């Protein structure tokens, strides 16, 4: 099993489930299969970047809507 050496820490740890859901939804929309074991080390950088970019777009959209008062 891979060890997570990420220096990225969530400011709100309770957001983990929501962010994981966003990741899987973004991957599905892009037609990218994330391995069932969750290990993404064998995925291409392009695929992982596409997923991350899609997530970022969604998070910005959510923030803009909240700032607009929706």
């Amino acid at each position: 099993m891979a060890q997570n050496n990420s220096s990225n820490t969530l400011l709100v740890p309770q957001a983990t489930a929501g962010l994981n859901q966003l990741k899987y939804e973004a991957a599905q929309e892009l037609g990218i299969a994330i391995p069932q074991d969750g290990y993404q080390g064998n995925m291409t950088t392009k695929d992982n970047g596409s997923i991350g970019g899609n997530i970022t777009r969604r998070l910005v959209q959510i923030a803009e809507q909240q700032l607009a008062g929706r």
Side-chain angles (χ1 to χ4, degrees):
M1 179 152 317
Q3 194 175 31
N4 186 0
N5 292 326
S6 175
S7 62
N8 296 331
T9 56
L10 296 177
L11 295 175
V12 182
Q14 298 84 352
T16 301
L19 290 171
N20 279 332
Q21 181 179 349
L22 271 177
K23 176 174 67 175
Y24 284 99
E25 287 176 6
Q28 184 178 21
E29 285 179 10
L30 296 168
I32 300 170
I34 295 178
Q36 291 297 323
D37 63 1
Y39 177 67
Q40 292 177 253
N42 296 327
M43 292 177 62
T44 67
T45 302
K46 180 179 178 182
D47 286 347
N48 280 314
S50 296
I51 294 169
N54 193 298
I55 291 170
T56 301
R57 265 189 236 79
R58 282 183 167 196
L59 291 174
V60 168
Q61 181 182 28
I62 290 167
E64 286 175 345
Q65 289 173 348
Q66 288 180 348
L67 288 172
R70 290 190 202 175

